[in-house]
Amino acid sequence: MLLRGSCHCGAVAFTLKSTTPYPYMRCYCSICRKTDGGGGYAINIMGEAATLKVKGKAALAVYRARIASGGKKTMSSGRRHFCGKCGSALWVADPRWPEWVYPFASAIDSKLPLPPEHCNIMLDFAAPWADVPRVNVPKAGRKNAAFARYPDEGIMDWHQKRGLVVK
């Protein structure tokens, strides 16, 4: 599926191909919450890095979060790309997985498919004001999964297990 995305002010636009376009995973970690979360979370999907085409590269800025690891603060390997003019979060890229780019669903202009369920992750880090499902409770006939940290099942795994990989 070809995804088209952009920032709010229009300075940056991008396209990329994705076989995993269902925006199902809501991340409540402090990085996602503070850099992109409207509801206290951010939703990433996954695309093929080799297909990423960007217009307006001059307006791009990159943020690398500082994270606590073993009592020390280190730089995250993830690079969060955003518009340096309006601040819109656009995508995350990580050299550990160079074949993938993780656009924020909020930046995608294409019509995304409705996921059959949601996966709420990093709940140990959710803001106290965020309305998050703390248990696996179905909502309106749809399943919700809740995880204190990151689940073992990745984006590709989730799509494959449910037969949702788009060719």
Side-chain angles (χ1 to χ4, degrees):
M1 178 176 184
L2 182 66
L3 302 180
R4 297 182 186 285
S6 63
C7 67
H8 185 261
C9 74
V12 179
F14 63 95
T15 61
L16 76 160
K17 290 181 183 174
S18 175
T19 59
T20 57
Y22 285 80
Y24 74 98
M25 189 183 288
R26 298 173 178 162
C27 182
Y28 288 85
C29 79
S30 65
I31 302 167
C32 286
R33 177 169 33 96
K34 290 182 175 275
T35 62
D36 188 56
Y41 60 84
I43 300 173
N44 286 96
I45 50 183
M46 190 168 76
E48 300 166 15
T51 68
L52 179 65
K53 294 184 174 113
V54 181
K55 291 182 183 173
K57 287 182 182 179
L60 278 178
V62 176
Y63 173 68
R64 289 183 62 197
R66 292 182 351 153
I67 55 176
S69 178
K72 296 187 274 184
K73 292 266 183 169
T74 61
M75 295 298 284
S76 167
S77 59
R79 276 93 169 145
R80 293 168 178 274
H81 295 74
F82 64 97
C83 175
K85 292 185 177 186
C86 69
S88 295
L90 300 170
W91 68 82
V92 177
D94 193 315
R96 294 177 296 175
W97 302 284
E99 66 275 22
W100 306 116
V101 170
Y102 303 91
F104 289 100
S106 57
I108 299 299
D109 301 319
S110 305
K111 185 175 180 180
L112 293 172
L114 182 66
E117 61 190 70
H118 285 107
C119 179
N120 301 282
I121 67 169
M122 305 298 276
L123 295 181
D124 280 356
F125 305 98
W129 56 262
D131 184 19
V132 299
R134 299 283 178 187
V135 294
N136 297 333
V137 178
K139 197 172 195 176
R142 297 170 68 201
K143 290 193 242 174
N144 277 313
F147 296 92
R149 300 289 173 121
Y150 205 87
D152 291 334
E153 186 177 57
I155 293 173
M156 182 61 81
D157 300 324
W158 186 91
H159 281 77
Q160 286 175 334
K161 185 175 179 181
R162 290 154 184 83
L164 299 174
V165 175
V166 177
K167 298 289 178 180

